[in-house]
Each structure stands twice: as structure tokens, then as C-alpha cells.
Amino acid sequence: MSLQVENLEKNMAKLTVEVPAEQFEEAIKTAYNKNKGRFSIPGFRKGKASMAMIEKMYGLEVFYEEAANIVLDATYGDAADESKLDIVSRPEIDLVQIEKGKPFIYTATVAVKPEVTLGEYKGVEVEKAVAEVSDEDVEKELERVQNQNARLLTVEDRPVADGDETVIDFEGFVDGKAFEGGKAEDYKLVIGSHSFIDTFEDQLIGKNIGEECEVNVTFPEEYHAKDLAGKPAVFKVTVKEIKEKELPELNDEFAGEVSDFETLDEYKTDIRAKLLETRQRQAATENENRVVEKVVEGASMDIPEPMVEYQIQTMINDYARRMQSQGMSFSDYMKYTGMTPDQLKAQTRPQAERTIRTRLVLETVVKTENIQVSDERLEEELQKMAETYRMEASQVRERMGEEGLEQMKEDLAVQEAVDFLVAEAKLV
């Protein structure tokens, strides 16, 4: 195999790969052996006709596509390594020469990781995120726990009131016609939860058990179902059950039941401490984000379009896997939201570009500051993973392999770059 590398504009490059004719011939034979059973030749049982006979009947090119894929799979990785380029996209392949008895020649056009010029990155000044917990915050958390421990009592002597949990049957109509997904029976709805559109819940206040009523609402302009967005609708509703919350009294007895503390004051002190700990973590993360964002804003780079496209597709694939893990196919999600693939890509693009810019800048800081990840730091991370997956650290290391461990070291170095930037920053 021979290789020529041509640098193009905008951080693109073209690899021209020439594969010996003998290797292409071997690929054709492999393609023949794999596919010969698919051909019907008069006078021969399937799979028994010679390659020459099949080529005579179907043309010399009959195995070219399969043979080309075999050669590409066998040679592109080596060509990419030999080029010494930092390739950041899938290759765009063009066949230059594909003919029996001649060298197989193709080009692979790829995006190359761009050079980053850092602006000011030490001592950047950003507004500091501060962790604070007010008395009101403590009371809200206490109220949340109080609601979690409330009892639901069946009500039969009064109509629906704000805060009640109701059980209803409903069916929705637009332009006098029932619409898909607009009907349910024995549906639990908390009045005031704002889980239904517009003033649906408010219009149930004052209704009695067994009472049928009409609820008039308008779907939001940005509603996920495009055929309903912005349209007025009428729901026929029947109230079947009403339940009200009976909240426990906030006292020492309550504190003893829901916590390890004997008094309400001690419990409040613990709530404040835990809220503060959470907000301190949130503030630390926010400060990291602000510092990194400021450094990224000051850097310059020319990101090749294929690199962005690759990142967009990676993010969409990850999202599709998450959807599937939650029991929804990606195609159903797209149908549900009414979004086209092009719209989804356009929506994902800004985040993809931010992700690329941020990673490139942090990698450049790692290189500029010669940040090294120690063996001890790597082992510490492996141990955390081992505890998470209930495995031995040696097993985690073995499963990751050298490539996975190298990627982990790069990721840890990037995080250390973030720590470095925050330590150098001026938080005011």
C-alpha cells in the first residue's frame, strides 16, 4: 500500500491510497466465495459455478463493490495511522481506480483537528456563584417533606377545591372531533399541579362527584403535537373521586418520624446543612462553567464542518439510546414531537459546536501547561469505577484495554485543566 497526503483548506486533508492489484484480486476472490451461492447459472447448482463463469454472465464488475469494501476495511485504518494526521471525522471515500489487474486506488477526504490559539486563559475574571440558603428555602424543603407524608382522605361532602387529588374521565374535541391521545378514564389529577394545559384544572374547582362538565382550553402555540398547537379544544369531563391532603403537624414528633433527630429545630438545622452542601456543589460547577466559557470565548479556531456533523450525529445517537432505554423508540419520539431530522440536527448544532470548542480549548491548555495525569490519579479513578460496577480494579483495567485507559487519562487531564483554570481565575 502506498499513501499520499494532501492538506486542503479549512482543516481538511485528502489521503490517496494505492493498493496493489494482487490485494484487490484476493478481495474479489473473497467476495466470490462469500456470494457465489446467490447466483443462478444454467447447468450449475447454486454455489458451484466458477468465478469466471459468474463474471461472464453478470459482468466483471459483479464482485467489485464487495471487494472494494473489503479492501477499504483492510487499508483505511493503516492509512490513517500512517498519515500522522489527527483525524476527527468519518472519511468521505471516492474510488479513483477499480479495475481487475490494476492497482485499487481511492481517496479519503477527512477533517483534521484544528489548531487552537488561546487568548487570555490565566486569571480570567468572572462573577462568582455563591451558595446561600435562606430561612424560606428551609421552610420550602420542610413543606415538601410534609406533603410527602400527608394522608389522602376521601371527600364526599363538598366540591373540588384547589390542592385536591381527583380521579376523572375525560375526552377532548377539536372542531367537534375527538383527537388522538385526548381520552382517558380513571385519570388522577392534582388540582393546582399545572400538569394539564391552560386553565383545565381551574375549571374543575367547584365541581361535584358525578358531575359532568365541559372544560374549554386552548393548546399552546409550541405544543408538541403540531396538529393541535394553538387550537381551542373542549373537554368533556366527569369527576369520579375527590381526595384531600391531611398534612401532619410540624412538631418534634414529626421530626422524629421522618428523620434521625428528636426535635424539629435539630431537623431544620440538618436540612439547612444538606441544602448548603448541595448548593455549594452547584456553585462550584457553575464557577467552573463560567471560567471555562470565558476562556473558550477568548480562543480562536477554524472548526471543519465534517467535525461538527460527526459531533451532531454522535449526540443524536446518544439521545436515541437514552430514549430506547426509557422504552420509547427514536422514530416514535420524532413523530411525537413532529420534528424532522433536519430540524433535530439544526437544534443540536449549537450544543455540538460548544462541545467541540470547549474540548479543543481544554486539550490545548493541557498541552500548553504540560498537565500530566499521574498513575495514582488513574488508579483512583479505576477504583471508583470498580466500586460502582462491583468489580475488581484489575478487571476494570482489563476490560478497558490500552485504548480505553488512554482515553480515560485524556479525560482526566482535561478535568485537571478545568481545575487549573478555576484556580488561576479571579472570582469576584
Side-chain angles (χ1 to χ4, degrees), residues 336-350:
Y336 180 73
T337 58
M339 206 179 310
T340 67
D342 286 343
Q343 287 173 330
L344 181 60
K345 286 183 178 181
Q347 181 178 294
T348 308
R349 175 175 285 270

Side-chain angles (χ1 to χ4, degrees), residues 303-358:
I303 302 174
E305 180 59 24
M307 187 178 187
V308 179
E309 291 287 341
Y310 183 76
Q311 181 65 32
I312 289 172
Q313 195 56 55
T314 298
M315 292 172 68
I316 290 175
N317 291 344
D318 288 344
Y319 189 67
R321 280 192 288 271
R322 288 198 298 273
M323 285 286 100
Q324 193 168 10
S325 70
Q326 294 169 14
M328 177 183 286
S329 72
F330 193 60
S331 59
D332 286 344
Y333 168 78
M334 295 292 284
K335 183 180 178 181
Y336 180 73
T337 58
M339 206 179 310
T340 67
D342 286 343
Q343 287 173 330
L344 181 60
K345 286 183 178 181
Q347 181 178 294
T348 308
R349 175 175 285 270
Q351 180 59 46
E353 291 177 345
R354 282 195 297 273
T355 298
I356 292 169
R357 289 178 61 84
T358 300

Side-chain angles (χ1 to χ4, degrees), residues 125-143:
E125 187 173 302
V126 299
E127 183 180 353
K128 183 179 181 179
V130 180
E132 295 177 333
V133 176
S134 66
D135 290 343
E136 184 181 357
D137 294 329
V138 174
E139 291 302 322
K140 281 184 178 179
E141 177 61 17
L142 194 59
E143 183 180 323

